Amino acid sequence: MEPGNGTQIAEFLLGGFSEEPELQPLLFGFFLSMYLITMIGNVFVILAIISDSHLHTPMYFFLSILSFSDICLTSTTVPKMLVNIQTQSKVITYAGCIIQMFSYLFFVALDDFLLTVMAYDRYVAICHPLYYRVIMNPRLCALLVMLSWVMSVLNSLSNTLMALRLSFCTHVEIPHFFCELNQVVHLACSDTFINDIMLYFAAGVLTGGPFIGIICSYSKIISSIRVISSAKGKCKAFSTCTSHLSVVSLFYCTALGVYLSAATTGSSHSSAAASVMYTVVTPMLNPFIYSLRNKDIERILKRYLGRKL
């Protein structure tokens, strides 16, 4: 591969997790299993919501979009990794790397914004139940989802375009299982100061803004629940939030784990292992969290299986 600028690099190499031949079948089976479970679980949630008219509500509308985003997020990274393991190749084309980077950034940001929108939906449902249908009307729901998509596109587009300006030398092996932005940027031979500033700014906006929104929503929810007189009423009100709280906790804890792992160990392989939680495990667990804690989803699952769980 000849040295050159970003538009002349023909391909990158993905380091993956291990080069040990005996571990490759194990890694292939492990990630294939998780990918299939993710697809089946999230597709089931989407089909359940579409098929049952009782689930045509704002909460389930946002959940179906989240499931679709999780399917796409996992599909941007795992299939290419499985192909590389199967073919015993590390190669990803320059164009493929850029597309993967853009898609990954987009769907991670979309997940983040959707969780914030779902927190707002729970706030309206609990704090303003009499006006819920008026406030969370179809027009507002569509607008919130559209705004989430636009913000996600702007984030991924800006970071990807900044990466396109970089020049790369002969060492183009990415010590990761996909084209993670930070890893790609730090392979460049040219100055990456502007890219680093953009990266930290985007991370601050995407993490800080939505997280503050979620905290504000749940602080008001908790305040409203505290004034409910009966213990049964408090339990019922809080139970509507448990699934979302579980998913939010999983999302932010795994994301935080990725950055802490990279910062404390300084190991790219540790960062790649931590990213599995963020990009593969979280999308796989989300439908199970909602199914196990949601009576409506359980009812549809029982109906499909024809027996009690």
Side-chain angles (χ1 to χ4, degrees), residues 211-228:
F211 187 70
I212 290 172
I214 292 172
I215 293 296
C216 289
S217 295
Y218 275 102
S219 63
K220 293 181 179 180
I221 288 173
I222 292 172
S223 298
S224 296
I225 292 176
R226 287 178 63 184
V227 301
I228 298 176

Side-chain angles (χ1 to χ4, degrees), residues 82-110:
L82 293 175
V83 169
N84 282 5
I85 292 174
Q86 186 66 21
T87 59
Q88 298 182 358
S89 169
K90 295 183 177 182
V91 173
I92 182 171
T93 64
Y94 176 80
C97 187
I98 295 299
I99 292 172
Q100 189 181 67
M101 186 192 305
F102 176 89
S103 302
Y104 165 77
L105 291 171
F106 173 77
F107 289 111
V108 166
L110 184 59

Side-chain angles (χ1 to χ4, degrees), residues 28-268:
F28 183 85
F30 179 67
F31 283 102
L32 178 62
S33 299
M34 288 201 296
Y35 181 65
L36 292 177
I37 292 171
T38 301
M39 295 294 291
I40 293 171
N42 284 286
V43 167
F44 167 76
V45 170
I46 294 173
L47 292 179
I49 293 171
I50 292 174
S51 64
D52 195 315
S53 60
H54 294 95
L55 303 185
H56 294 175
T57 63
M59 180 180 74
Y60 290 109
F61 170 67
F62 296 136
L63 176 57
S64 65
I65 303 296
L66 180 66
S67 292
F68 172 76
S69 179
D70 283 342
I71 289 172
C72 295
L73 174 60
T74 307
S75 297
T76 61
T77 58
V78 176
K80 178 58 180 174
M81 178 178 59
L82 293 175
V83 169
N84 282 5
I85 292 174
Q86 186 66 21
T87 59
Q88 298 182 358
S89 169
K90 295 183 177 182
V91 173
I92 182 171
T93 64
Y94 176 80
C97 187
I98 295 299
I99 292 172
Q100 189 181 67
M101 186 192 305
F102 176 89
S103 302
Y104 165 77
L105 291 171
F106 173 77
F107 289 111
V108 166
L110 184 59
D111 269 16
D112 198 12
F113 288 122
L114 285 173
L115 290 175
T116 309
V117 169
M118 294 171 77
Y120 175 71
D121 173 73
R122 292 301 83 206
Y123 156 72
V124 176
I126 293 174
C127 299
H128 305 284
L130 298 179
Y131 299 98
Y132 178 72
R133 292 184 178 276
V134 176
I135 298 175
M136 299 304 294
N137 57 74
R139 182 178 179 181
L140 178 62
C141 292
L143 182 62
L144 289 172
V145 171
M146 187 179 299
L147 184 61
S148 299
W149 278 71
V150 170
M151 293 292 290
S152 301
V153 167
L154 291 176
N155 167 68
S156 56
L157 188 61
S158 59
N159 279 289
T160 304
L161 289 176
M162 290 298 294
L164 286 172
R165 59 179 283 276
L166 297 174
S167 298
F168 296 92
C169 300
T170 54
H171 181 67
V172 288
E173 181 171 351
I174 303 170
H176 217 291
F177 67 96
F178 69 96
C179 289
E180 200 268 333
L181 175 63
N182 187 52
Q183 300 289 344
V184 173
V185 167
H186 288 98
L187 284 179
C189 296
S190 55
D191 182 35
T192 62
F193 177 76
I194 298 177
N195 296 78
D196 289 333
I197 294 296
M198 176 68 76
L199 186 62
Y200 290 128
F201 175 77
V205 171
L206 289 177
T207 304
F211 187 70
I212 290 172
I214 292 172
I215 293 296
C216 289
S217 295
Y218 275 102
S219 63
K220 293 181 179 180
I221 288 173
I222 292 172
S223 298
S224 296
I225 292 176
R226 287 178 63 184
V227 301
I228 298 176
S229 56
S230 69
K232 185 178 179 180
K234 289 181 179 180
C235 232
K236 183 178 179 181
F238 192 74
S239 66
T240 63
C241 303
T242 52
S243 296
H244 181 257
L245 274 174
S246 301
V247 171
V248 167
S249 300
L250 186 63
F251 181 85
Y252 279 101
C253 287
T254 52
L256 186 62
V258 172
Y259 291 104
L260 287 179
S261 173
T264 56
T265 65
S267 169
S268 300

